[in-house]
């Protein structure tokens, strides 16, 4: 494949690219000073410290502690991810922040060598240099945490990529998407290692229920991401463009190509891409560069105590909760949660015809298989009590759907369709006005949700008292804030929405507070 290269001139800051530790806040060891490696098991390096009880629990299961410790990093990254929108956002904010250095040639040479080893176009660009600098300075601690996690996730990614004939370097894309956090969630709802939106996940077979979110399943989400990326590459014939389309959608990339006069080089179309996507590919290339040169750049990670090849899966035959299972197997529940992030409530459901797996360290799998009947029997009483508790929570939680605004829609019409009020839709979506636009996504909760039991009781009482009122005394109804034609019809006995519309043809669906609505067939 012929790669189009865009080499920029100018004085660029790249002293950090020599890999000199002192450039990033590290001390350079002298002749008599031993270099101390970064201890990634230290909670100070992985986020908030654990409680004394948690530390004692982990100390008793030290052979499982690595992934349990890294859970603290997950929490720390989760907070920064929601605030910063991932590495692509960080990259976008620093794309053109570069200064002079005499070491630019060193970076260019390294990139030339890397370019020969990969199918991706990693030619030098000032924006790429700026992102590398950002990641190696301000986000160096995050890079080391991801280097630690990559030992667990990269073998899985490489296996799935190789099976589909895709470049193994695509594994670095998950760093940009989620910082290798399987439970990462963006402010717009993208979830998991590969940040699938709900609809896209459904298209690629990822199940989302009250108990399970397969977008957080490392295996299934990786398989889905690989299929999606393969399709995008077939469309664009260029991996940089395929990655940009993964982030912003094929439509935005095609639009950027047209605005760039048909030029299909990423750097040429970057000014025409959405703001975050403009930093997306540079973030990917910077991540690839840093991890391919982790040693020379001074990045270190402690080895995993439980690497992926030291785990295995079993199919469960009974509803079970992580905490109770952990006690039976003498495995820390935090480790079980880390190995099985797809289970949202730390319980594994049992549904006839469905196959739900449990990943455990191989030693624990052996103990489980050898004592399977006894373990199921021991778990039964505790599981029944816990199951009743969780299912009560699930039933109490409202069903949530997303509605995409169509031409001709307005909040009153949407509220009528879903049998909710305009006020509820505005509250659920934090709308400051009733103005909506075509294509806008709205969160809609199930019927009568968003109210407390007391509020529902009051509403039922009001409806009952209103329904028993003589219709001759309630010929007209004055519209109140939040009312819709459907909600008005519900206030009166034997009055339907169709009747309200028939008696008030002049209103259509557009009603405002203070209007009078006829609520009976009586003549004036």
């Amino acid at each position: 494949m012929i790669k189009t290269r865009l080499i920029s001139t100018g004085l660029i800051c790249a002293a950090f690219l020599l890999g000199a530790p002192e450039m990033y806040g590290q001390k350079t060891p002298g002749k008599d000073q031993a270099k101390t490696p970064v201890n990634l098991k230290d909670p100070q390096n992985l986020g908030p410290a654990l409680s004394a009880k948690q530390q004692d629990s982990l100390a008793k299961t030290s052979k499982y502690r690595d992934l349990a410790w890294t859970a603290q990093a997950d929490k720390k990254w989760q907070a920064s991810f929601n605030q910063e929108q991932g590495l692509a956002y960080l990259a976008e904010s620093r794309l053109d922040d570069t200064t002079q250095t005499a070491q630019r040639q060193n970076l260019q040479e390294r990139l030339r060598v890397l370019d020969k080893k990969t199918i991706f176009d990693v030619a030098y660009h000032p924006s790429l240099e700026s992102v590398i600098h950002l990641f190696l300075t301000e986000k160096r601690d995050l890079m080391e945490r991801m280097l630690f996690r990559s030992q667990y996730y990269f073998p899985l990614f490489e296996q799935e990529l190789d099976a589909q004939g895709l470049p193994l370097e695509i594994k670095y894309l998950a760093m940009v998407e989620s910082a290798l956090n399987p439970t990462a969630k963006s402010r717009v709802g993208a979830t998991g290692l590969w940040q699938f939106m709900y609809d896209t996940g459904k298209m690629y077979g990822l199940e989302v229920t009250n108990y399970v979110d397969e977008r957080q399943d490392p295996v299934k989400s990786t398989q889905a991401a690989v299929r999606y990326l393969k399709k995008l590459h077939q469309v664009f014939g260029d991996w940089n463009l395929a990655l940009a389309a993964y982030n912003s959608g094929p439509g935005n990339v095609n639009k950027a190509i047209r605005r760039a006069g048909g030029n299909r080089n990423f750097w040429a179309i970057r000014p025409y891409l959405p703001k975050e996507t403009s930093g997306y590919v540079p973030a990917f290339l910077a991540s690839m560069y840093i991890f391919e040169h982790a040693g020379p750049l001074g990045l270190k990670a402690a080895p995993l105590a439980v690497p992926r090849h030291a785990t295995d899966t079993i199919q469960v035959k009974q509803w079970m909760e992580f905490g109770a299972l952990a006690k039976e197997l003498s495995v820390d529940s935090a480790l079980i949660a880390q190995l099985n992030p797809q289970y949202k409530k730390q319980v594994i459901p049992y549904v006839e015809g469905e196959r739900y797996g449990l990943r455990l360290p191989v030693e624990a799998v052996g103990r489980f298989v050898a004592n399977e009947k006894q373990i199921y029997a021991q778990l039964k009483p505790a599981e029944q009590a816990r199951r009743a508790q969780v299912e009560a929570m699930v039933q109490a939680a409202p069903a949530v759907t997303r509605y995409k605004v169509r031409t001709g829609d307005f909040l009153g019409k949407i509220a009528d369709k879903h049998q909710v009020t305009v006020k509820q839709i505005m509250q659920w979506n934090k709308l400051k006005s009733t103005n909506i636009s075509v294509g806008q996504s709205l969160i809609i909760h199930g019927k009568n949700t968003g109210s407390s039991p007391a509020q529902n009781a009051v509403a039922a009482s009001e409806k009952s008292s209103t329904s028993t009122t003589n219709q001759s005394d309630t010929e007209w109804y004055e519209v109140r804030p939040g009312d819709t034609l459907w909600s008005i019809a519900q206030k009166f006995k034997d009055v339907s929405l169709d009747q309200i519309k028939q008696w008030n043809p002049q209103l259509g669906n557009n009603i405002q507070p203070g209007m009078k609505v006829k609520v009976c067939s009586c003549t004036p």
Side-chain angles (χ1 to χ4, degrees):
M1 182 178 72
I2 299 175
K3 298 180 181 179
T4 304
R5 304 180 184 278
L6 182 61
I7 308 297
S8 297
T9 59
L11 300 175
I12 312 298
C13 173
F16 54 92
L17 297 167
L18 288 175
E22 64 271 17
M23 297 300 294
Y24 310 107
Q26 293 178 295
K27 294 182 179 179
T28 305
K31 295 181 180 179
D32 301 323
Q33 180 184 1
K35 188 172 181 180
T36 303
V38 177
N39 180 11
L40 290 181
K41 293 184 181 180
D42 183 350
Q44 296 300 318
N45 289 325
L46 290 174
L50 298 175
S51 66
K53 184 177 180 181
Q54 290 171 317
Q55 291 183 35
D56 181 63
S57 174
L58 287 175
K60 293 177 181 178
T61 55
S62 58
K63 69 188 303 181
Y64 301 122
R65 70 185 298 176
D66 279 15
L67 282 181
W69 276 115
T70 201
Q72 301 303 308
D74 284 342
K75 293 177 182 177
K76 186 174 182 180
W77 170 246
Q78 182 70 56
S80 64
F81 186 86
N82 287 332
Q83 180 180 4
E84 297 172 339
Q85 293 299 291
L87 294 184
Y89 176 88
L90 295 173
E92 182 277 326
S93 67
R94 289 289 296 272
L95 275 176
D96 298 308
D97 181 17
T98 54
T99 54
Q100 180 178 1
T101 179
Q103 308 300 334
R104 185 176 68 246
Q105 291 182 349
N106 183 278
L107 167 63
Q108 292 175 333
E109 179 58 31
R110 284 183 175 179
L111 289 176
R112 277 193 289 268
V113 173
L114 181 59
D115 187 63
K116 294 177 181 178
K117 295 167 55 179
T118 178
I119 197 171
F120 290 91
D121 183 359
V122 289
Y124 172 82
H125 190 278
S127 294
L128 176 58
E129 180 182 18
S130 176
V131 177
I132 294 173
H133 179 238
L134 170 68
F135 288 176
L136 285 174
T137 53
E138 297 177 28
K139 295 299 172 183
R140 188 181 187 88
D141 60 337
L142 176 60
M143 290 292 128
E144 290 190 323
R145 291 203 302 272
M146 286 194 289
L147 185 62
F148 175 70
R149 296 182 198 176
S150 69
Q151 299 171 85
Y152 183 83
Y153 292 112
F154 277 7
L156 164 64
F157 298 165
E158 291 170 352
Q159 176 182 328
E160 298 299 335
L161 290 165
D162 181 65
Q164 293 295 323
L166 270 61
L168 300 186
E169 296 91 334
I170 290 178
K171 63 188 178 184
Y172 298 119
L173 191 65
M175 295 171 56
V176 183
E177 288 288 345
S178 64
L180 301 182
N181 176 7
T183 60
K185 181 172 291 187
S186 75
R187 65 181 181 182
V188 296
T191 300
L193 287 165
W194 299 95
Q195 289 293 283
F196 275 99
M197 293 294 289
Y198 179 86
D199 291 340
T200 310
K202 281 289 187 181
M203 287 173 55
Y204 283 86
L206 299 179
E207 177 187 16
V208 180
T209 69
N210 287 316
Y211 290 104
V212 181
D213 189 340
E214 290 183 345
R215 295 176 297 173
Q216 297 178 185
D217 186 316
V219 175
K220 292 184 178 180
S221 67
T222 299
Q223 292 170 342
V226 169
R227 293 199 307 273
Y228 186 29
L229 285 161
K230 186 174 184 178
K231 179 179 179 181
L232 290 173
H233 184 256
Q234 290 171 349
V235 171
F236 292 100
D238 178 274
W239 277 113
N240 284 357
L241 297 184
L243 298 185
Y246 186 90
N247 178 252
S248 66
N252 282 322
V253 174
N254 281 323
K255 190 186 302 181
I257 291 173
R258 289 195 299 270
R259 290 178 176 175
N263 194 323
R264 300 179 68 85
N265 176 272
F266 171 79
W267 298 106
I269 72 169
R270 182 171 68 84
Y272 307 104
L273 289 169
K275 190 174 182 181
E276 183 182 340
T277 308
S278 67
Y280 188 77
V281 172
F284 167 77
L285 297 175
S287 299
M288 182 196 306
Y289 171 83
I290 290 171
F291 269 49
E292 291 291 331
H293 298 87
L297 293 172
L299 296 178
K300 295 183 179 294
L304 283 173
V306 187
R308 187 171 181 81
H309 63 76
T311 67
D312 203 351
T313 58
I314 54 176
Q315 184 179 345
V316 300
K317 302 175 183 178
Q318 178 180 307
W319 194 98
M320 60 178 61
E321 189 259 340
F322 288 177
L325 179 64
K327 292 179 182 178
E328 292 295 325
L329 296 177
S330 299
V331 177
D332 195 276
S333 60
L335 177 62
I336 297 179
Q338 282 289 294
L339 295 177
N340 301 274
Q342 66 270 33
Y343 297 114
K344 296 156 64 174
K345 302 182 185 299
Q346 296 205 357
V347 296
I348 305 175
Y350 177 74
V351 180
E352 194 71 34
E354 297 287 344
R355 297 172 61 89
Y356 292 118
L358 171 68
R359 182 170 290 275
L360 294 168
V362 288
E363 301 94 335
V365 170
R367 291 196 296 273
F368 187 97
V369 173
N371 303 281
E372 186 172 3
K373 290 184 179 180
Q374 298 93 314
I375 289 175
Y376 280 134
Q378 289 288 337
L379 292 177
K380 197 74 175 178
E383 297 306 329
Q384 288 176 339
R386 174 63 175 158
R387 181 174 185 173
Q389 178 186 5
V390 173
E391 288 184 345
M393 293 168 57
V394 170
Q395 292 173 3
V400 180
T401 59
R402 286 188 175 272
Y403 178 82
K404 184 170 288 188
V405 177
R406 303 180 178 92
T407 303
D409 276 346
F410 52 90
L411 287 186
K413 180 179 179 181
I414 297 171
D416 282 343
K417 181 175 181 178
H418 293 87
Q419 299 186 3
V420 296
T421 67
V422 171
K423 185 177 180 180
Q424 285 176 317
I425 294 179
M426 293 180 69
Q427 288 175 339
W428 296 330
N429 295 276
K430 299 181 180 180
L431 300 178
K432 295 182 180 179
S433 71
T434 57
N435 295 329
I436 54 176
S437 57
V438 174
Q440 183 176 349
S441 181
L442 296 176
I443 295 173
I444 306 291
H445 291 261
K447 182 180 178 181
N448 292 333
T449 61
S451 302
S452 66
Q455 289 172 322
N456 288 334
V458 170
S461 175
E462 289 178 350
K463 179 177 178 180
S464 176
S465 63
T466 307
S467 299
T468 57
T469 304
N470 189 308
Q471 286 193 13
S472 63
D473 295 332
T474 56
E475 178 182 347
W476 296 93
Y477 174 84
E478 184 174 338
V479 178
R480 300 170 186 171
D483 276 342
T484 65
L485 293 182
W486 178 86
S487 66
I488 294 172
Q490 299 302 298
K491 296 178 184 290
F492 299 92
K493 185 178 180 181
D494 298 327
V495 174
S496 68
L497 175 60
D498 289 338
Q499 287 175 316
I500 292 285
K501 290 181 177 180
Q502 180 183 350
W503 299 332
N504 301 272
Q506 76 284 3
L507 294 179
N509 285 315
N510 188 16
I511 59 174
Q512 301 294 332
M515 286 184 174
K516 298 288 186 179
V517 177
K518 191 175 182 180
V519 292
C520 76
S521 59
C522 48
T523 56

